[in-house]
Amino acid sequence: MLFKVAQQKNLEGYVGFANLPNQVYRKSVKRGFEFTLMVVGESGLGKSTLINSLFLTDLYSGEYPGPSHRIKKTVQVEQSKVLIKEGGVQLLLTIVDTPGFGDAVDNSNCWQPVIDHIDSKFEDYLNAESRVNRRQMPDSRVHCCLYFIAPSGHGLKPLDIEFMKRLHEKVNIIPLIAKADTLTPEECQQFKKQIMREIQEHKIKIYEFPETDDEEENKLVKKIKDRLPLAVVGSNTIIEVNGKRVRGRQYPWGVAEVENSEHCDFTILRNMLIRTHMQDLKDVTNNVHYENYRSRKLAAVTYNGVDNNKSKGQLTKLDTVEGMSPLAQMEEERREHVAKMKKMEMEMEQVFEMKVKEKIQKLKDSEAELQRRHEHMKKNLEAQHKELEEKRRQYEEEKVNWEAQQRVMEQAKLDASRTLEKNKKKGKIF
Amino acid sequence: MAATEIARQAGEGVRSVPLSGHVGFDSMPDQLVNKSVSQGFCFNILCVGETGLGKSTLMDTLFNTKFEGEPTTHNQPGVQLKSNTYELQESNVRLKLTMVNTVGFGDQINKEDSYKSIVEFIDTQFEAYLQEELKIRRTLHSYHDSRIHACLYFIAPTGHSLKSLDLVTMKKLDSKVNIIPIIAKSDAISKSELAKFKIKITSELVSNGVQIYQFPTDDETVAEINSTMNGHLPFAVVGSTEEVKIGNKMVKARQYPWGTVQVENESHCDFVKLREMLIRVNMEDLREQTHTRHYELYRRCKLEEMGFKDTDPDSKPFSLQETYEAKRNEFMGELQKKEEEMRQMFVQRVKEKEAELKEAEKELHEKFDRLKKLHQDEKKKLEDKKKSLEEELNAFKQRKTATELLQSQAQQAGGSTTLKRDKERKK
């Protein structure tokens, strides 16, 4: 019954729901935030340093070494969780790194553990979401993947292309040019153009900054888009430059400052990743990547169901699989089956009735036939009876007549003989 | 700072690291808020109460606008729910407000089923959400949530106690929706009566196990005000869209010969408290409770009804796929069985009918055999009769012939006797 078209109404005074955003704010702070960031790239590209710079902390340190120090024989996927607090806001940050990625001689399938990891997180979430008894679901899905491109200055390596092609529909990919302080601004520009060209050529979908209604914001977004992929520099050391303490890399020829936007795009990355688009990265992961995973997974289940049906010789409309939950689909199938059973029942009834009718008719016919025969015989018999009766009657009549005649004759004879006797007695007769 | 839910969930094994500067993720709440504001908010209120308790007027007063509708009559045949959706905007916040009114509640002579249509309506909204959530291709983030977030239950201002209809209805609704009971048209009750009335109502609700919505006290920012307000429940409200001049201001009020009841005067009624609690402070919490408590309960019951179970409640996460497949196989098996049963039934019927018809056939043949036998008997009797007649006829014929012969002999003899006589005469 739900909704008619909503009508616009004007408020004539204070109501108070303008406070809703504050309520949302309050609740979100109370709940806390979580974010999972994945870093992928060959060893030595400055991944750990960049993470430390981004979050201004020693996430990777001597005690907790970064991926390049932990290379094993095969590509591993490992997680580090830290809790960081700032301005009353708590963030549970999970960094997923991939020691060994791209470092072997034969790197075929080195992306597979990464894909498996992302899928398993989706699977965990899907299972948690599908439970009958659901509790608070921790979101450990990978929200963003920073892909480090080596600063060769020429273009993307085949491994880069392969990785991004396989993961762009599973996770938000933000490609970065690592160790950008080895490129001059012109080289960097060329390199960036080349990379973007190749990305477009291979139809790789990197994370896109959403358009907003705000003009100002859109201008900023455009500026960022023009500088993709971001060329970054990271550093764990603080250096004094012109009286200011900055993070940077000290060279004989000068200091490359991490947070100087003329030196590299680090600030843009930090602002975008943390200060403005963190929520959107989570939303896109939830609304797009996760939903894609889920619908593929669930469609597989129902497709299997359809197969089973086909093998049992039943028909299922394939288009009911689209866009319907498995439960609804089962309902649909149940309804179809009920209809089918009804039809079958009706048909069987019909056949049954018809056969019964036939048999009854036959029985009736034979009864009629027998009856007819019986009648005929009866009539025959009756006729014979009548005939016999008639004969008897005639006979009786004849007999009666004849007997009567005889009696008359006898009487006459008797009379005659008596008269004779009389006459004899009278002597008339000699 | 107090541990957040996230921190609690993360558990012990998570290390806290200090930051050496401003990273900037403290903007996360703002990012979240900006997203919510741009999407717009949605809130659905259900008003339950007898006709004439001022539900529509109160809604108009609460939201400072004139909503649709004419006053309903008392002769509704059953309880119906009418819903209207409005788009409101206050500063930069857009709210899609849906108001659902119960029409005809409490007007029937037999009110036993009054609560049913309300429960059905609430369940229908849950069901719609559940269906969307279970779809293979779903769009939850842009789904227009129709679930009822708050139910304002209007209590008639009798001053004595709750009616049994109220208790029955609230008991049926308390596990499905956030119930906020309010005393309607409370300008009919004096202050002292009101205090007693509130106590009576609260104690009746408690003793009947009705769980009304409690304003949350777990967030320090609002804990104090919420717990104070919890003590003022149920709110005694007065609604009015008419304005009266008090001093030099126009205020919403109801004018009586003995004085003017000002709606927004806290010493006259609890209207302002209701507005604060319902809209300004706890609207988001009402939505959250609906989603995490009432909806989850509905969902759990529905899934359990359909036979879904969590295979291992705590340790191993169950595989949705396996459950679906198992369910599906079971389902298919059931259908197969039903088909077989039907076939069997038909086979049985055919057998029975055949036996019946055979019986009938046998009877028929027996009947005709009997008739035939009768007929044979008759025929035999006839034959016998015929035979006896024949015999008689023959006997008669013989007699006749014999007699005739004798007669002719006699005649001849008589003739000769006569001849003799004549002869003698002649002599």
mmCIF file of all heavy atoms in Angstrom, chain A residues 49 52-53 56-58 234-241 243-250 255-259, chain B residues 19-22:
data_model
loop_
_atom_site.group_PDB
_atom_site.id
_atom_site.type_symbol
_atom_site.label_atom_id
_atom_site.label_comp_id
_atom_site.label_asym_id
_atom_site.label_seq_id
_atom_site.Cartn_x
_atom_site.Cartn_y
_atom_site.Cartn_z
ATOM 1 N N THR A 49 56.798 3.458 4.753
ATOM 2 C CA THR A 49 57.107 4.837 5.063
ATOM 3 C C THR A 49 55.915 5.735 4.759
ATOM 4 O O THR A 49 55.588 6.641 5.526
ATOM 5 C CB THR A 49 58.325 5.315 4.248
ATOM 6 O OG1 THR A 49 59.302 4.272 4.227
ATOM 7 C CG2 THR A 49 58.915 6.568 4.838
ATOM 8 N N ASN A 52 53.237 5.338 7.451
ATOM 9 C CA ASN A 52 53.628 6.067 8.651
ATOM 10 C C ASN A 52 53.440 7.564 8.466
ATOM 11 O O ASN A 52 52.988 8.263 9.365
ATOM 12 C CB ASN A 52 55.079 5.764 9.009
ATOM 13 C CG ASN A 52 55.221 4.394 9.646
ATOM 14 O OD1 ASN A 52 54.230 3.752 9.996
ATOM 15 N ND2 ASN A 52 56.448 3.937 9.805
ATOM 16 N N SER A 53 53.778 8.059 7.285
ATOM 17 C CA SER A 53 53.627 9.489 7.025
ATOM 18 C C SER A 53 52.172 9.882 6.975
ATOM 19 O O SER A 53 51.774 10.927 7.487
ATOM 20 C CB SER A 53 54.289 9.875 5.695
ATOM 21 O OG SER A 53 55.601 9.399 5.627
ATOM 22 N N LEU A 56 50.870 9.694 10.478
ATOM 23 C CA LEU A 56 51.701 10.386 11.441
ATOM 24 C C LEU A 56 51.973 9.526 12.661
ATOM 25 O O LEU A 56 51.839 9.968 13.807
ATOM 26 C CB LEU A 56 51.036 11.708 11.851
ATOM 27 C CG LEU A 56 50.980 12.719 10.698
ATOM 28 C CD1 LEU A 56 50.201 13.947 11.108
ATOM 29 C CD2 LEU A 56 52.381 13.100 10.249
ATOM 30 N N THR A 57 52.292 8.273 12.394
ATOM 31 C CA THR A 57 52.550 7.391 13.519
ATOM 32 C C THR A 57 53.493 6.293 13.082
ATOM 33 O O THR A 57 53.675 6.065 11.887
ATOM 34 C CB THR A 57 51.242 6.776 14.033
ATOM 35 O OG1 THR A 57 51.559 5.944 15.151
ATOM 36 C CG2 THR A 57 50.600 5.909 12.975
ATOM 37 N N ASP A 58 54.074 5.615 14.052
ATOM 38 C CA ASP A 58 54.973 4.518 13.711
ATOM 39 C C ASP A 58 54.213 3.214 13.651
ATOM 40 O O ASP A 58 54.414 2.314 14.464
ATOM 41 C CB ASP A 58 56.088 4.408 14.751
ATOM 42 C CG ASP A 58 57.078 5.540 14.597
ATOM 43 O OD1 ASP A 58 57.213 6.031 13.450
ATOM 44 O OD2 ASP A 58 57.683 5.930 15.609
ATOM 45 N N GLY A 234 57.311 9.664 0.863
ATOM 46 C CA GLY A 234 57.058 9.476 2.280
ATOM 47 C C GLY A 234 58.344 9.644 3.051
ATOM 48 O O GLY A 234 59.449 9.512 2.500
ATOM 49 N N SER A 235 58.165 9.939 4.357
ATOM 50 C CA SER A 235 59.380 10.042 5.161
ATOM 51 C C SER A 235 59.074 9.831 6.628
ATOM 52 O O SER A 235 58.025 10.228 7.126
ATOM 53 C CB SER A 235 60.023 11.417 4.975
ATOM 54 O OG SER A 235 61.033 11.590 5.940
ATOM 55 N N ASN A 236 60.010 9.199 7.309
ATOM 56 C CA ASN A 236 59.876 8.995 8.744
ATOM 57 C C ASN A 236 60.662 10.001 9.536
ATOM 58 O O ASN A 236 60.659 9.989 10.757
ATOM 59 C CB ASN A 236 60.385 7.588 9.125
ATOM 60 C CG ASN A 236 59.418 6.505 8.679
ATOM 61 O OD1 ASN A 236 58.226 6.740 8.626
ATOM 62 N ND2 ASN A 236 59.951 5.346 8.338
ATOM 63 N N THR A 237 61.384 10.848 8.850
ATOM 64 C CA THR A 237 62.267 11.762 9.574
ATOM 65 C C THR A 237 61.798 13.195 9.458
ATOM 66 O O THR A 237 61.267 13.626 8.436
ATOM 67 C CB THR A 237 63.706 11.662 9.051
ATOM 68 O OG1 THR A 237 63.651 11.645 7.625
ATOM 69 C CG2 THR A 237 64.372 10.395 9.538
ATOM 70 N N ILE A 238 62.062 13.920 10.547
ATOM 71 C CA ILE A 238 61.687 15.342 10.581
ATOM 72 C C ILE A 238 62.960 16.161 10.384
ATOM 73 O O ILE A 238 63.980 15.919 11.032
ATOM 74 C CB ILE A 238 61.069 15.706 11.925
ATOM 75 C CG1 ILE A 238 59.991 14.665 12.292
ATOM 76 C CG2 ILE A 238 60.526 17.112 11.884
ATOM 77 C CD1 ILE A 238 58.593 15.149 12.314
ATOM 78 N N ILE A 239 62.870 17.087 9.481
ATOM 79 C CA ILE A 239 64.050 17.918 9.175
ATOM 80 C C ILE A 239 63.664 19.381 9.366
ATOM 81 O O ILE A 239 62.501 19.748 9.178
ATOM 82 C CB ILE A 239 64.479 17.677 7.715
ATOM 83 C CG1 ILE A 239 64.768 16.187 7.489
ATOM 84 C CG2 ILE A 239 65.695 18.521 7.363
ATOM 85 C CD1 ILE A 239 64.889 15.821 6.041
ATOM 86 N N GLU A 240 64.663 20.167 9.718
ATOM 87 C CA GLU A 240 64.362 21.583 9.870
ATOM 88 C C GLU A 240 64.657 22.309 8.563
ATOM 89 O O GLU A 240 65.749 22.237 8.015
ATOM 90 C CB GLU A 240 65.233 22.182 10.989
ATOM 91 C CG GLU A 240 64.833 23.589 11.311
ATOM 92 C CD GLU A 240 64.962 23.900 12.782
ATOM 93 O OE1 GLU A 240 64.976 22.941 13.594
ATOM 94 O OE2 GLU A 240 65.039 25.076 13.120
ATOM 95 N N VAL A 241 63.661 22.980 8.038
ATOM 96 C CA VAL A 241 63.817 23.744 6.800
ATOM 97 C C VAL A 241 63.297 25.145 7.051
ATOM 98 O O VAL A 241 62.130 25.335 7.372
ATOM 99 C CB VAL A 241 62.999 23.108 5.640
ATOM 100 C CG1 VAL A 241 63.057 23.988 4.402
ATOM 101 C CG2 VAL A 241 63.488 21.713 5.358
ATOM 102 N N GLY A 243 63.617 27.099 9.437
ATOM 103 C CA GLY A 243 63.049 27.292 10.753
ATOM 104 C C GLY A 243 61.812 26.443 11.005
ATOM 105 O O GLY A 243 61.291 26.401 12.121
ATOM 106 N N LYS A 244 61.324 25.790 10.004
ATOM 107 C CA LYS A 244 60.143 24.946 10.225
ATOM 108 C C LYS A 244 60.574 23.496 10.310
ATOM 109 O O LYS A 244 61.495 23.064 9.614
ATOM 110 C CB LYS A 244 59.157 25.089 9.048
ATOM 111 C CG LYS A 244 58.198 26.241 9.200
ATOM 112 C CD LYS A 244 56.885 26.058 8.451
ATOM 113 C CE LYS A 244 57.059 25.392 7.125
ATOM 114 N NZ LYS A 244 55.822 25.355 6.338
ATOM 115 N N ARG A 245 59.852 22.762 11.135
ATOM 116 C CA ARG A 245 60.138 21.346 11.223
ATOM 117 C C ARG A 245 59.177 20.636 10.268
ATOM 118 O O ARG A 245 57.962 20.737 10.417
ATOM 119 C CB ARG A 245 59.922 20.852 12.659
ATOM 120 C CG ARG A 245 61.011 21.379 13.609
ATOM 121 C CD ARG A 245 60.699 20.983 15.043
ATOM 122 N NE ARG A 245 60.736 19.537 15.251
ATOM 123 C CZ ARG A 245 61.858 18.827 15.344
ATOM 124 N NH1 ARG A 245 63.038 19.409 15.258
ATOM 125 N NH2 ARG A 245 61.801 17.526 15.544
ATOM 126 N N VAL A 246 59.776 19.960 9.285
ATOM 127 C CA VAL A 246 58.919 19.283 8.314
ATOM 128 C C VAL A 246 59.397 17.854 8.111
ATOM 129 O O VAL A 246 60.551 17.518 8.364
ATOM 130 C CB VAL A 246 58.923 19.990 6.934
ATOM 131 C CG1 VAL A 246 58.269 21.339 7.035
ATOM 132 C CG2 VAL A 246 60.340 20.103 6.418
ATOM 133 N N ARG A 247 58.466 17.081 7.636
ATOM 134 C CA ARG A 247 58.838 15.729 7.234
ATOM 135 C C ARG A 247 59.475 15.825 5.860
ATOM 136 O O ARG A 247 58.920 16.474 4.968
ATOM 137 C CB ARG A 247 57.582 14.848 7.119
ATOM 138 C CG ARG A 247 57.244 14.203 8.403
ATOM 139 C CD ARG A 247 56.131 13.184 8.276
ATOM 140 N NE ARG A 247 55.794 12.723 9.604
ATOM 141 C CZ ARG A 247 55.938 11.475 10.015
ATOM 142 N NH1 ARG A 247 56.379 10.557 9.190
ATOM 143 N NH2 ARG A 247 55.653 11.157 11.248
ATOM 144 N N GLY A 248 60.578 15.173 5.692
ATOM 145 C CA GLY A 248 61.190 15.268 4.361
ATOM 146 C C GLY A 248 62.368 14.329 4.197
ATOM 147 O O GLY A 248 62.744 13.589 5.100
ATOM 148 N N ARG A 249 62.910 14.369 3.013
ATOM 149 C CA ARG A 249 64.076 13.541 2.701
ATOM 150 C C ARG A 249 65.233 14.490 2.392
ATOM 151 O O ARG A 249 65.143 15.329 1.500
ATOM 152 C CB ARG A 249 63.772 12.649 1.505
ATOM 153 C CG ARG A 249 62.759 11.562 1.848
ATOM 154 C CD ARG A 249 62.383 10.756 0.629
ATOM 155 N NE ARG A 249 63.514 10.074 0.030
ATOM 156 C CZ ARG A 249 64.059 8.970 0.508
ATOM 157 N NH1 ARG A 249 63.608 8.430 1.624
ATOM 158 N NH2 ARG A 249 65.105 8.420 -0.110
ATOM 159 N N GLN A 250 66.277 14.303 3.140
ATOM 160 C CA GLN A 250 67.444 15.186 2.999
ATOM 161 C C GLN A 250 68.389 14.691 1.930
ATOM 162 O O GLN A 250 68.870 13.562 1.976
ATOM 163 C CB GLN A 250 68.177 15.254 4.333
ATOM 164 C CG GLN A 250 69.455 16.081 4.275
ATOM 165 C CD GLN A 250 69.264 17.415 4.952
ATOM 166 O OE1 GLN A 250 68.990 17.454 6.139
ATOM 167 N NE2 GLN A 250 69.418 18.471 4.216
ATOM 168 N N VAL A 255 66.112 19.484 0.264
ATOM 169 C CA VAL A 255 65.189 18.638 1.012
ATOM 170 C C VAL A 255 63.898 18.481 0.227
ATOM 171 O O VAL A 255 63.268 19.482 -0.159
ATOM 172 C CB VAL A 255 64.871 19.252 2.397
ATOM 173 C CG1 VAL A 255 63.825 18.415 3.125
ATOM 174 C CG2 VAL A 255 66.142 19.371 3.215
ATOM 175 N N ALA A 256 63.529 17.249 -0.012
ATOM 176 C CA ALA A 256 62.226 17.005 -0.638
ATOM 177 C C ALA A 256 61.207 16.929 0.482
ATOM 178 O O ALA A 256 61.276 16.064 1.352
ATOM 179 C CB ALA A 256 62.262 15.680 -1.407
ATOM 180 N N GLU A 257 60.311 17.917 0.518
ATOM 181 C CA GLU A 257 59.339 17.969 1.610
ATOM 182 C C GLU A 257 58.098 17.154 1.256
ATOM 183 O O GLU A 257 57.497 17.346 0.202
ATOM 184 C CB GLU A 257 58.943 19.411 1.896
ATOM 185 C CG GLU A 257 60.057 20.236 2.500
ATOM 186 C CD GLU A 257 59.722 21.724 2.433
ATOM 187 O OE1 GLU A 257 58.577 22.080 2.802
ATOM 188 O OE2 GLU A 257 60.578 22.492 1.974
ATOM 189 N N VAL A 258 57.745 16.305 2.210
ATOM 190 C CA VAL A 258 56.591 15.430 1.978
ATOM 191 C C VAL A 258 55.304 16.242 1.823
ATOM 192 O O VAL A 258 54.515 16.014 0.915
ATOM 193 C CB VAL A 258 56.465 14.423 3.141
ATOM 194 C CG1 VAL A 258 55.141 13.709 3.090
ATOM 195 C CG2 VAL A 258 57.614 13.439 3.117
ATOM 196 N N GLU A 259 55.170 17.242 2.719
ATOM 197 C CA GLU A 259 53.883 17.947 2.715
ATOM 198 C C GLU A 259 53.867 19.209 1.876
ATOM 199 O O GLU A 259 52.983 20.030 2.001
ATOM 200 C CB GLU A 259 53.479 18.249 4.154
ATOM 201 C CG GLU A 259 53.088 16.976 4.885
ATOM 202 C CD GLU A 259 52.777 17.210 6.360
ATOM 203 O OE1 GLU A 259 52.475 18.368 6.714
ATOM 204 O OE2 GLU A 259 52.866 16.242 7.135
ATOM 205 N N LEU B 19 49.549 9.580 17.868
ATOM 206 C CA LEU B 19 49.778 10.311 16.623
ATOM 207 C C LEU B 19 50.675 11.494 16.908
ATOM 208 O O LEU B 19 50.539 12.165 17.928
ATOM 209 C CB LEU B 19 48.444 10.797 16.064
ATOM 210 C CG LEU B 19 47.400 9.714 15.842
ATOM 211 C CD1 LEU B 19 46.078 10.344 15.443
ATOM 212 C CD2 LEU B 19 47.867 8.757 14.774
ATOM 213 N N SER B 20 51.570 11.733 15.988
ATOM 214 C CA SER B 20 52.495 12.842 16.219
ATOM 215 C C SER B 20 52.038 14.114 15.528
ATOM 216 O O SER B 20 52.792 15.060 15.383
ATOM 217 C CB SER B 20 53.893 12.459 15.721
ATOM 218 O OG SER B 20 53.812 12.120 14.362
ATOM 219 N N GLY B 21 50.852 14.141 15.099
ATOM 220 C CA GLY B 21 50.384 15.371 14.454
ATOM 221 C C GLY B 21 48.916 15.199 14.112
ATOM 222 O O GLY B 21 48.279 14.197 14.465
ATOM 223 N N HIS B 22 48.400 16.175 13.389
ATOM 224 C CA HIS B 22 46.988 16.095 13.036
ATOM 225 C C HIS B 22 46.831 15.337 11.726
ATOM 226 O O HIS B 22 47.257 15.789 10.674
ATOM 227 C CB HIS B 22 46.405 17.504 12.898
ATOM 228 C CG HIS B 22 44.942 17.487 12.589
ATOM 229 N ND1 HIS B 22 44.435 18.027 11.440
ATOM 230 C CD2 HIS B 22 43.909 16.971 13.278
ATOM 231 C CE1 HIS B 22 43.122 17.851 11.437
ATOM 232 N NE2 HIS B 22 42.780 17.219 12.536
#
